[in-house]
Amino acid sequence: MKKITLILQCLPLILACTVVTKTNAQSRASYTISFTSHWDSETNDPINGNSIVDLPGNAHWSDLVGATHNNAARLLEMGSLATEGIKDVAELGNNTAIMNEVQALINSNHADQFLQAAFDDFAPRTTATLSNIEVSEDFPLLSLAAMIAPSPDWMIAVNSINLRDGNTWVQSLSIPLFPYDAGTDSGVNYNSGNQTTMPAQPITSLVNVSPFNDKPIGVLTITFNQTLSIQDNDLVQVSLYPNPSNGMLHITTSASNPLTEVQVYDVLGKQIERFVNNDATRQLQLDLTQAKAGIYIVKIKLLNATSMTKKIVIN
């Protein structure tokens, strides 16, 4: 196991972040959440570079993934052991296990939605954005993670950022993020081979632990867009994920207004699939793995006779 220096003041548990302004309380609010990476070497960027060695030629990030949830859920926690989902994100950039963990939290009414966004470029300095994310007052906490790739088990992460401040929605947060070790692999270099840590160790900071110095690796920006009126709650509370996907998709709606039917169309307007939710459950899994790669339109009908459409991408 590599030597770890724990820098508590650098943990992005968000106590030191500035709340700029607030808005009136509502049941749901829309946010845009963006992580901008500053990952670079000191040689290439002497002022902001956070790596004391040159980055590998294939340096990049895995998708930014996470969930909105309540206090009963913990997707990850600094100082605690990584879940299987966080382990797979940190080691492999694989999101299947964490998506299943979030779905289990949704089923137990501890989470509201799974979040996933790809980075703009296959590069160390790039941005991933979650646009117009609808956050419920019942699930106001935000947790996110992404793999620093390649690496043994290194990642950026935030744990349970509260988007509520008393009876109001937080309007703006800007959070410097630092690298973490998931505690599941003992490699010490970007391209170290697999060296499983036995037993697994808690998630710890990599500030001033080679190959990183004490500078942030990026900034997470959370921006309030608008409140969503109480009477609109049943209409807007629909999550479809992951997107893009390999064809296996999940749709989650509110318990009071579940989905009744889903229709899937190609870009030419031809219906390729139709799913009927006879049990009126708030979760439905769609299997579109037989569809060709491309863009599709999903039309979702809800119990109160409202409907909406969402665009999906199948890889």
PDB file of all heavy atoms in Angstrom, residues 215-251:
ATOM      1  N   LYS A 215      -2.162  21.340  -5.381  1.00  0.00           N
ATOM      2  CA  LYS A 215      -3.059  22.191  -6.156  1.00  0.00           C
ATOM      3  C   LYS A 215      -4.297  21.414  -6.596  1.00  0.00           C
ATOM      4  O   LYS A 215      -4.222  20.202  -6.837  1.00  0.00           O
ATOM      5  CB  LYS A 215      -2.327  22.753  -7.373  1.00  0.00           C
ATOM      6  CG  LYS A 215      -1.157  23.648  -7.000  1.00  0.00           C
ATOM      7  CD  LYS A 215      -0.371  24.085  -8.218  1.00  0.00           C
ATOM      8  CE  LYS A 215       0.840  24.924  -7.823  1.00  0.00           C
ATOM      9  NZ  LYS A 215       1.675  25.284  -8.985  1.00  0.00           N
ATOM     10  N   PRO A 216      -5.440  22.080  -6.710  1.00  0.00           N
ATOM     11  CA  PRO A 216      -6.656  21.375  -7.132  1.00  0.00           C
ATOM     12  C   PRO A 216      -6.518  20.838  -8.545  1.00  0.00           C
ATOM     13  O   PRO A 216      -5.806  21.396  -9.384  1.00  0.00           O
ATOM     14  CB  PRO A 216      -7.743  22.451  -7.039  1.00  0.00           C
ATOM     15  CG  PRO A 216      -7.008  23.746  -7.086  1.00  0.00           C
ATOM     16  CD  PRO A 216      -5.684  23.506  -6.432  1.00  0.00           C
ATOM     17  N   ILE A 217      -7.235  19.764  -8.797  1.00  0.00           N
ATOM     18  CA  ILE A 217      -7.197  19.133 -10.116  1.00  0.00           C
ATOM     19  C   ILE A 217      -8.344  19.629 -10.993  1.00  0.00           C
ATOM     20  O   ILE A 217      -8.421  19.306 -12.173  1.00  0.00           O
ATOM     21  CB  ILE A 217      -7.228  17.598  -9.969  1.00  0.00           C
ATOM     22  CG1 ILE A 217      -6.707  16.904 -11.235  1.00  0.00           C
ATOM     23  CG2 ILE A 217      -8.630  17.112  -9.591  1.00  0.00           C
ATOM     24  CD1 ILE A 217      -6.446  15.427 -11.043  1.00  0.00           C
ATOM     25  N   GLY A 218      -9.227  20.426 -10.410  1.00  0.00           N
ATOM     26  CA  GLY A 218     -10.338  20.980 -11.170  1.00  0.00           C
ATOM     27  C   GLY A 218     -11.319  21.687 -10.261  1.00  0.00           C
ATOM     28  O   GLY A 218     -11.121  21.767  -9.043  1.00  0.00           O
ATOM     29  N   VAL A 219     -12.388  22.192 -10.853  1.00  0.00           N
ATOM     30  CA  VAL A 219     -13.397  22.944 -10.112  1.00  0.00           C
ATOM     31  C   VAL A 219     -14.783  22.434 -10.482  1.00  0.00           C
ATOM     32  O   VAL A 219     -15.102  22.275 -11.668  1.00  0.00           O
ATOM     33  CB  VAL A 219     -13.312  24.457 -10.412  1.00  0.00           C
ATOM     34  CG1 VAL A 219     -14.449  25.212  -9.727  1.00  0.00           C
ATOM     35  CG2 VAL A 219     -11.966  25.014  -9.963  1.00  0.00           C
ATOM     36  N   LEU A 220     -15.591  22.176  -9.460  1.00  0.00           N
ATOM     37  CA  LEU A 220     -16.990  21.816  -9.655  1.00  0.00           C
ATOM     38  C   LEU A 220     -17.837  23.071  -9.454  1.00  0.00           C
ATOM     39  O   LEU A 220     -17.753  23.713  -8.405  1.00  0.00           O
ATOM     40  CB  LEU A 220     -17.411  20.731  -8.664  1.00  0.00           C
ATOM     41  CG  LEU A 220     -18.831  20.181  -8.853  1.00  0.00           C
ATOM     42  CD1 LEU A 220     -18.902  19.301 -10.101  1.00  0.00           C
ATOM     43  CD2 LEU A 220     -19.275  19.385  -7.631  1.00  0.00           C
ATOM     44  N   THR A 221     -18.629  23.407 -10.451  1.00  0.00           N
ATOM     45  CA  THR A 221     -19.491  24.582 -10.392  1.00  0.00           C
ATOM     46  C   THR A 221     -20.945  24.144 -10.419  1.00  0.00           C
ATOM     47  O   THR A 221     -21.353  23.392 -11.315  1.00  0.00           O
ATOM     48  CB  THR A 221     -19.218  25.528 -11.571  1.00  0.00           C
ATOM     49  OG1 THR A 221     -17.830  25.889 -11.567  1.00  0.00           O
ATOM     50  CG2 THR A 221     -20.067  26.781 -11.470  1.00  0.00           C
ATOM     51  N   ILE A 222     -21.706  24.609  -9.451  1.00  0.00           N
ATOM     52  CA  ILE A 222     -23.124  24.267  -9.345  1.00  0.00           C
ATOM     53  C   ILE A 222     -23.917  25.563  -9.457  1.00  0.00           C
ATOM     54  O   ILE A 222     -23.733  26.477  -8.645  1.00  0.00           O
ATOM     55  CB  ILE A 222     -23.432  23.550  -8.029  1.00  0.00           C
ATOM     56  CG1 ILE A 222     -22.599  22.267  -7.931  1.00  0.00           C
ATOM     57  CG2 ILE A 222     -24.916  23.239  -7.896  1.00  0.00           C
ATOM     58  CD1 ILE A 222     -22.709  21.567  -6.585  1.00  0.00           C
ATOM     59  N   THR A 223     -24.788  25.646 -10.456  1.00  0.00           N
ATOM     60  CA  THR A 223     -25.514  26.881 -10.725  1.00  0.00           C
ATOM     61  C   THR A 223     -27.014  26.627 -10.721  1.00  0.00           C
ATOM     62  O   THR A 223     -27.502  25.755 -11.454  1.00  0.00           O
ATOM     63  CB  THR A 223     -25.108  27.472 -12.086  1.00  0.00           C
ATOM     64  OG1 THR A 223     -23.685  27.646 -12.125  1.00  0.00           O
ATOM     65  CG2 THR A 223     -25.782  28.804 -12.319  1.00  0.00           C
ATOM     66  N   PHE A 224     -27.725  27.387  -9.914  1.00  0.00           N
ATOM     67  CA  PHE A 224     -29.180  27.307  -9.867  1.00  0.00           C
ATOM     68  C   PHE A 224     -29.773  27.892 -11.142  1.00  0.00           C
ATOM     69  O   PHE A 224     -29.358  28.951 -11.610  1.00  0.00           O
ATOM     70  CB  PHE A 224     -29.681  28.076  -8.641  1.00  0.00           C
ATOM     71  CG  PHE A 224     -31.162  28.309  -8.614  1.00  0.00           C
ATOM     72  CD1 PHE A 224     -32.017  27.339  -8.145  1.00  0.00           C
ATOM     73  CD2 PHE A 224     -31.691  29.507  -9.073  1.00  0.00           C
ATOM     74  CE1 PHE A 224     -33.379  27.541  -8.123  1.00  0.00           C
ATOM     75  CE2 PHE A 224     -33.052  29.725  -9.053  1.00  0.00           C
ATOM     76  CZ  PHE A 224     -33.904  28.745  -8.580  1.00  0.00           C
ATOM     77  N   ASN A 225     -30.745  27.188 -11.737  1.00  0.00           N
ATOM     78  CA  ASN A 225     -31.419  27.684 -12.932  1.00  0.00           C
ATOM     79  C   ASN A 225     -32.782  28.298 -12.621  1.00  0.00           C
ATOM     80  O   ASN A 225     -33.040  29.452 -12.925  1.00  0.00           O
ATOM     81  CB  ASN A 225     -31.596  26.564 -13.959  1.00  0.00           C
ATOM     82  CG  ASN A 225     -30.284  26.045 -14.483  1.00  0.00           C
ATOM     83  OD1 ASN A 225     -29.318  26.789 -14.634  1.00  0.00           O
ATOM     84  ND2 ASN A 225     -30.214  24.752 -14.742  1.00  0.00           N
ATOM     85  N   GLN A 226     -33.657  27.508 -11.979  1.00  0.00           N
ATOM     86  CA  GLN A 226     -34.989  27.988 -11.680  1.00  0.00           C
ATOM     87  C   GLN A 226     -35.680  27.038 -10.709  1.00  0.00           C
ATOM     88  O   GLN A 226     -35.291  25.886 -10.570  1.00  0.00           O
ATOM     89  CB  GLN A 226     -35.835  28.090 -12.955  1.00  0.00           C
ATOM     90  CG  GLN A 226     -36.054  26.740 -13.649  1.00  0.00           C
ATOM     91  CD  GLN A 226     -36.911  26.847 -14.879  1.00  0.00           C
ATOM     92  OE1 GLN A 226     -37.767  27.725 -14.979  1.00  0.00           O
ATOM     93  NE2 GLN A 226     -36.692  25.957 -15.843  1.00  0.00           N
ATOM     94  N   THR A 227     -36.688  27.563 -10.032  1.00  0.00           N
ATOM     95  CA  THR A 227     -37.555  26.704  -9.242  1.00  0.00           C
ATOM     96  C   THR A 227     -38.614  26.109 -10.146  1.00  0.00           C
ATOM     97  O   THR A 227     -38.966  26.678 -11.181  1.00  0.00           O
ATOM     98  CB  THR A 227     -38.238  27.496  -8.114  1.00  0.00           C
ATOM     99  OG1 THR A 227     -38.929  28.607  -8.690  1.00  0.00           O
ATOM    100  CG2 THR A 227     -37.235  27.984  -7.088  1.00  0.00           C
ATOM    101  N   LEU A 228     -39.104  24.940  -9.773  1.00  0.00           N
ATOM    102  CA  LEU A 228     -40.153  24.259 -10.519  1.00  0.00           C
ATOM    103  C   LEU A 228     -41.389  24.236  -9.641  1.00  0.00           C
ATOM    104  O   LEU A 228     -41.336  23.763  -8.510  1.00  0.00           O
ATOM    105  CB  LEU A 228     -39.713  22.844 -10.885  1.00  0.00           C
ATOM    106  CG  LEU A 228     -38.407  22.778 -11.697  1.00  0.00           C
ATOM    107  CD1 LEU A 228     -37.931  21.348 -11.814  1.00  0.00           C
ATOM    108  CD2 LEU A 228     -38.587  23.396 -13.074  1.00  0.00           C
ATOM    109  N   SER A 229     -42.462  24.767 -10.131  1.00  0.00           N
ATOM    110  CA  SER A 229     -43.639  24.959  -9.295  1.00  0.00           C
ATOM    111  C   SER A 229     -44.177  23.650  -8.767  1.00  0.00           C
ATOM    112  O   SER A 229     -44.032  22.591  -9.372  1.00  0.00           O
ATOM    113  CB  SER A 229     -44.745  25.669 -10.083  1.00  0.00           C
ATOM    114  OG  SER A 229     -45.194  24.867 -11.151  1.00  0.00           O
ATOM    115  N   ILE A 230     -44.835  23.727  -7.625  1.00  0.00           N
ATOM    116  CA  ILE A 230     -45.354  22.533  -6.956  1.00  0.00           C
ATOM    117  C   ILE A 230     -46.309  21.776  -7.853  1.00  0.00           C
ATOM    118  O   ILE A 230     -46.278  20.560  -7.945  1.00  0.00           O
ATOM    119  CB  ILE A 230     -46.035  22.918  -5.636  1.00  0.00           C
ATOM    120  CG1 ILE A 230     -44.999  23.449  -4.651  1.00  0.00           C
ATOM    121  CG2 ILE A 230     -46.778  21.737  -5.031  1.00  0.00           C
ATOM    122  CD1 ILE A 230     -45.579  23.978  -3.368  1.00  0.00           C
ATOM    123  N   GLN A 231     -47.162  22.510  -8.591  1.00  0.00           N
ATOM    124  CA  GLN A 231     -48.128  21.828  -9.437  1.00  0.00           C
ATOM    125  C   GLN A 231     -47.488  21.145 -10.634  1.00  0.00           C
ATOM    126  O   GLN A 231     -48.097  20.309 -11.282  1.00  0.00           O
ATOM    127  CB  GLN A 231     -49.219  22.786  -9.927  1.00  0.00           C
ATOM    128  CG  GLN A 231     -48.687  24.052 -10.578  1.00  0.00           C
ATOM    129  CD  GLN A 231     -48.601  25.185  -9.588  1.00  0.00           C
ATOM    130  OE1 GLN A 231     -48.130  24.984  -8.470  1.00  0.00           O
ATOM    131  NE2 GLN A 231     -49.082  26.368  -9.987  1.00  0.00           N
ATOM    132  N   ASP A 232     -46.237  21.516 -10.959  1.00  0.00           N
ATOM    133  CA  ASP A 232     -45.530  20.871 -12.064  1.00  0.00           C
ATOM    134  C   ASP A 232     -44.732  19.649 -11.626  1.00  0.00           C
ATOM    135  O   ASP A 232     -44.153  18.970 -12.460  1.00  0.00           O
ATOM    136  CB  ASP A 232     -44.559  21.851 -12.721  1.00  0.00           C
ATOM    137  CG  ASP A 232     -45.281  22.913 -13.518  1.00  0.00           C
ATOM    138  OD1 ASP A 232     -46.451  22.687 -13.858  1.00  0.00           O
ATOM    139  OD2 ASP A 232     -44.679  23.965 -13.779  1.00  0.00           O
ATOM    140  N   ASN A 233     -44.704  19.353 -10.333  1.00  0.00           N
ATOM    141  CA  ASN A 233     -43.816  18.299  -9.832  1.00  0.00           C
ATOM    142  C   ASN A 233     -44.044  16.961 -10.508  1.00  0.00           C
ATOM    143  O   ASN A 233     -43.114  16.287 -10.925  1.00  0.00           O
ATOM    144  CB  ASN A 233     -43.991  18.120  -8.322  1.00  0.00           C
ATOM    145  CG  ASN A 233     -43.261  19.197  -7.546  1.00  0.00           C
ATOM    146  OD1 ASN A 233     -42.480  19.938  -8.115  1.00  0.00           O
ATOM    147  ND2 ASN A 233     -43.523  19.283  -6.266  1.00  0.00           N
ATOM    148  N   ASP A 234     -45.316  16.550 -10.594  1.00  0.00           N
ATOM    149  CA  ASP A 234     -45.608  15.238 -11.158  1.00  0.00           C
ATOM    150  C   ASP A 234     -45.225  15.154 -12.631  1.00  0.00           C
ATOM    151  O   ASP A 234     -44.924  14.090 -13.144  1.00  0.00           O
ATOM    152  CB  ASP A 234     -47.087  14.899 -10.991  1.00  0.00           C
ATOM    153  CG  ASP A 234     -47.417  14.512  -9.553  1.00  0.00           C
ATOM    154  OD1 ASP A 234     -46.473  14.192  -8.805  1.00  0.00           O
ATOM    155  OD2 ASP A 234     -48.605  14.530  -9.191  1.00  0.00           O
ATOM    156  N   LEU A 235     -45.256  16.301 -13.317  1.00  0.00           N
ATOM    157  CA  LEU A 235     -44.904  16.312 -14.730  1.00  0.00           C
ATOM    158  C   LEU A 235     -43.412  16.173 -14.953  1.00  0.00           C
ATOM    159  O   LEU A 235     -42.964  15.444 -15.815  1.00  0.00           O
ATOM    160  CB  LEU A 235     -45.411  17.601 -15.375  1.00  0.00           C
ATOM    161  CG  LEU A 235     -45.010  17.834 -16.839  1.00  0.00           C
ATOM    162  CD1 LEU A 235     -45.594  16.729 -17.713  1.00  0.00           C
ATOM    163  CD2 LEU A 235     -45.481  19.198 -17.309  1.00  0.00           C
ATOM    164  N   VAL A 236     -42.606  16.879 -14.151  1.00  0.00           N
ATOM    165  CA  VAL A 236     -41.173  16.949 -14.430  1.00  0.00           C
ATOM    166  C   VAL A 236     -40.362  15.855 -13.756  1.00  0.00           C
ATOM    167  O   VAL A 236     -39.200  15.668 -14.079  1.00  0.00           O
ATOM    168  CB  VAL A 236     -40.607  18.323 -14.016  1.00  0.00           C
ATOM    169  CG1 VAL A 236     -41.309  19.423 -14.764  1.00  0.00           C
ATOM    170  CG2 VAL A 236     -40.709  18.540 -12.517  1.00  0.00           C
ATOM    171  N   GLN A 237     -40.941  15.128 -12.802  1.00  0.00           N
ATOM    172  CA  GLN A 237     -40.147  14.169 -12.046  1.00  0.00           C
ATOM    173  C   GLN A 237     -39.975  12.874 -12.832  1.00  0.00           C
ATOM    174  O   GLN A 237     -40.567  11.844 -12.518  1.00  0.00           O
ATOM    175  CB  GLN A 237     -40.790  13.906 -10.681  1.00  0.00           C
ATOM    176  CG  GLN A 237     -39.859  13.188  -9.729  1.00  0.00           C
ATOM    177  CD  GLN A 237     -40.412  13.114  -8.326  1.00  0.00           C
ATOM    178  OE1 GLN A 237     -41.305  13.859  -7.968  1.00  0.00           O
ATOM    179  NE2 GLN A 237     -39.897  12.197  -7.531  1.00  0.00           N
ATOM    180  N   VAL A 238     -39.178  12.954 -13.883  1.00  0.00           N
ATOM    181  CA  VAL A 238     -38.876  11.799 -14.725  1.00  0.00           C
ATOM    182  C   VAL A 238     -37.378  11.773 -14.976  1.00  0.00           C
ATOM    183  O   VAL A 238     -36.801  12.761 -15.423  1.00  0.00           O
ATOM    184  CB  VAL A 238     -39.629  11.857 -16.068  1.00  0.00           C
ATOM    185  CG1 VAL A 238     -39.199  10.698 -16.964  1.00  0.00           C
ATOM    186  CG2 VAL A 238     -41.132  11.818 -15.850  1.00  0.00           C
ATOM    187  N   SER A 239     -36.746  10.653 -14.671  1.00  0.00           N
ATOM    188  CA  SER A 239     -35.317  10.476 -14.921  1.00  0.00           C
ATOM    189  C   SER A 239     -35.130   9.297 -15.866  1.00  0.00           C
ATOM    190  O   SER A 239     -35.736   8.239 -15.683  1.00  0.00           O
ATOM    191  CB  SER A 239     -34.559  10.207 -13.614  1.00  0.00           C
ATOM    192  OG  SER A 239     -34.683  11.291 -12.738  1.00  0.00           O
ATOM    193  N   LEU A 240     -34.292   9.485 -16.902  1.00  0.00           N
ATOM    194  CA  LEU A 240     -33.962   8.418 -17.838  1.00  0.00           C
ATOM    195  C   LEU A 240     -32.441   8.310 -17.876  1.00  0.00           C
ATOM    196  O   LEU A 240     -31.761   9.289 -18.160  1.00  0.00           O
ATOM    197  CB  LEU A 240     -34.529   8.738 -19.221  1.00  0.00           C
ATOM    198  CG  LEU A 240     -34.440   7.646 -20.281  1.00  0.00           C
ATOM    199  CD1 LEU A 240     -35.537   7.847 -21.330  1.00  0.00           C
ATOM    200  CD2 LEU A 240     -33.093   7.634 -20.983  1.00  0.00           C
ATOM    201  N   TYR A 241     -31.902   7.127 -17.589  1.00  0.00           N
ATOM    202  CA  TYR A 241     -30.451   6.976 -17.485  1.00  0.00           C
ATOM    203  C   TYR A 241     -30.052   5.528 -17.748  1.00  0.00           C
ATOM    204  O   TYR A 241     -30.903   4.633 -17.649  1.00  0.00           O
ATOM    205  CB  TYR A 241     -29.974   7.405 -16.086  1.00  0.00           C
ATOM    206  CG  TYR A 241     -30.607   6.635 -14.939  1.00  0.00           C
ATOM    207  CD1 TYR A 241     -30.021   5.470 -14.444  1.00  0.00           C
ATOM    208  CD2 TYR A 241     -31.808   7.056 -14.365  1.00  0.00           C
ATOM    209  CE1 TYR A 241     -30.603   4.747 -13.414  1.00  0.00           C
ATOM    210  CE2 TYR A 241     -32.398   6.340 -13.334  1.00  0.00           C
ATOM    211  CZ  TYR A 241     -31.794   5.196 -12.861  1.00  0.00           C
ATOM    212  OH  TYR A 241     -32.373   4.473 -11.843  1.00  0.00           O
ATOM    213  N   PRO A 242     -28.766   5.252 -18.063  1.00  0.00           N
ATOM    214  CA  PRO A 242     -27.749   6.248 -18.433  1.00  0.00           C
ATOM    215  C   PRO A 242     -27.974   6.750 -19.849  1.00  0.00           C
ATOM    216  O   PRO A 242     -28.616   6.074 -20.656  1.00  0.00           O
ATOM    217  CB  PRO A 242     -26.448   5.454 -18.332  1.00  0.00           C
ATOM    218  CG  PRO A 242     -26.840   4.056 -18.679  1.00  0.00           C
ATOM    219  CD  PRO A 242     -28.232   3.876 -18.105  1.00  0.00           C
ATOM    220  N   ASN A 243     -27.449   7.881 -20.158  1.00  0.00           N
ATOM    221  CA  ASN A 243     -27.601   8.467 -21.478  1.00  0.00           C
ATOM    222  C   ASN A 243     -26.349   9.284 -21.793  1.00  0.00           C
ATOM    223  O   ASN A 243     -26.140  10.305 -21.141  1.00  0.00           O
ATOM    224  CB  ASN A 243     -28.845   9.358 -21.524  1.00  0.00           C
ATOM    225  CG  ASN A 243     -29.166   9.850 -22.920  1.00  0.00           C
ATOM    226  OD1 ASN A 243     -28.698   9.298 -23.916  1.00  0.00           O
ATOM    227  ND2 ASN A 243     -29.965  10.900 -22.994  1.00  0.00           N
ATOM    228  N   PRO A 244     -25.513   8.817 -22.712  1.00  0.00           N
ATOM    229  CA  PRO A 244     -25.632   7.690 -23.623  1.00  0.00           C
ATOM    230  C   PRO A 244     -25.590   6.335 -22.889  1.00  0.00           C
ATOM    231  O   PRO A 244     -25.172   6.267 -21.733  1.00  0.00           O
ATOM    232  CB  PRO A 244     -24.414   7.835 -24.544  1.00  0.00           C
ATOM    233  CG  PRO A 244     -23.937   9.232 -24.366  1.00  0.00           C
ATOM    234  CD  PRO A 244     -24.270   9.587 -22.951  1.00  0.00           C
ATOM    235  N   SER A 245     -26.008   5.277 -23.604  1.00  0.00           N
ATOM    236  CA  SER A 245     -26.026   3.946 -22.993  1.00  0.00           C
ATOM    237  C   SER A 245     -25.722   2.900 -24.049  1.00  0.00           C
ATOM    238  O   SER A 245     -25.618   3.194 -25.244  1.00  0.00           O
ATOM    239  CB  SER A 245     -27.394   3.667 -22.363  1.00  0.00           C
ATOM    240  OG  SER A 245     -28.328   3.294 -23.354  1.00  0.00           O
ATOM    241  N   ASN A 246     -25.619   1.656 -23.568  1.00  0.00           N
ATOM    242  CA  ASN A 246     -25.429   0.540 -24.493  1.00  0.00           C
ATOM    243  C   ASN A 246     -26.763  -0.059 -24.923  1.00  0.00           C
ATOM    244  O   ASN A 246     -26.808  -1.082 -25.596  1.00  0.00           O
ATOM    245  CB  ASN A 246     -24.563  -0.546 -23.846  1.00  0.00           C
ATOM    246  CG  ASN A 246     -25.217  -1.149 -22.611  1.00  0.00           C
ATOM    247  OD1 ASN A 246     -26.322  -0.756 -22.210  1.00  0.00           O
ATOM    248  ND2 ASN A 246     -24.544  -2.106 -21.979  1.00  0.00           N
ATOM    249  N   GLY A 247     -27.845   0.571 -24.518  1.00  0.00           N
ATOM    250  CA  GLY A 247     -29.181   0.090 -24.861  1.00  0.00           C
ATOM    251  C   GLY A 247     -30.014  -0.322 -23.671  1.00  0.00           C
ATOM    252  O   GLY A 247     -31.236  -0.441 -23.781  1.00  0.00           O
ATOM    253  N   MET A 248     -29.374  -0.536 -22.513  1.00  0.00           N
ATOM    254  CA  MET A 248     -30.122  -0.838 -21.290  1.00  0.00           C
ATOM    255  C   MET A 248     -30.381   0.478 -20.561  1.00  0.00           C
ATOM    256  O   MET A 248     -29.451   1.132 -20.110  1.00  0.00           O
ATOM    257  CB  MET A 248     -29.344  -1.804 -20.396  1.00  0.00           C
ATOM    258  CG  MET A 248     -29.169  -3.189 -20.990  1.00  0.00           C
ATOM    259  SD  MET A 248     -30.728  -4.046 -21.349  1.00  0.00           S
ATOM    260  CE  MET A 248     -31.447  -4.171 -19.706  1.00  0.00           C
ATOM    261  N   LEU A 249     -31.660   0.859 -20.444  1.00  0.00           N
ATOM    262  CA  LEU A 249     -32.020   2.146 -19.868  1.00  0.00           C
ATOM    263  C   LEU A 249     -32.986   1.960 -18.719  1.00  0.00           C
ATOM    264  O   LEU A 249     -33.738   0.989 -18.658  1.00  0.00           O
ATOM    265  CB  LEU A 249     -32.681   3.034 -20.930  1.00  0.00           C
ATOM    266  CG  LEU A 249     -31.790   3.455 -22.087  1.00  0.00           C
ATOM    267  CD1 LEU A 249     -32.506   3.253 -23.401  1.00  0.00           C
ATOM    268  CD2 LEU A 249     -31.401   4.908 -21.940  1.00  0.00           C
ATOM    269  N   HIS A 250     -32.972   2.917 -17.791  1.00  0.00           N
ATOM    270  CA  HIS A 250     -33.901   2.934 -16.669  1.00  0.00           C
ATOM    271  C   HIS A 250     -34.691   4.236 -16.705  1.00  0.00           C
ATOM    272  O   HIS A 250     -34.130   5.300 -16.952  1.00  0.00           O
ATOM    273  CB  HIS A 250     -33.152   2.828 -15.339  1.00  0.00           C
ATOM    274  CG  HIS A 250     -32.391   1.563 -15.164  1.00  0.00           C
ATOM    275  ND1 HIS A 250     -32.903   0.450 -14.536  1.00  0.00           N
ATOM    276  CD2 HIS A 250     -31.144   1.209 -15.564  1.00  0.00           C
ATOM    277  CE1 HIS A 250     -32.008  -0.514 -14.531  1.00  0.00           C
ATOM    278  NE2 HIS A 250     -30.932  -0.089 -15.159  1.00  0.00           N
ATOM    279  N   ILE A 251     -35.995   4.132 -16.452  1.00  0.00           N
ATOM    280  CA  ILE A 251     -36.841   5.312 -16.315  1.00  0.00           C
ATOM    281  C   ILE A 251     -37.434   5.294 -14.922  1.00  0.00           C
ATOM    282  O   ILE A 251     -37.984   4.286 -14.470  1.00  0.00           O
ATOM    283  CB  ILE A 251     -37.963   5.344 -17.363  1.00  0.00           C
ATOM    284  CG1 ILE A 251     -37.392   5.400 -18.774  1.00  0.00           C
ATOM    285  CG2 ILE A 251     -38.879   6.548 -17.121  1.00  0.00           C
ATOM    286  CD1 ILE A 251     -38.446   5.423 -19.854  1.00  0.00           C
TER     287      ILE A 251
END
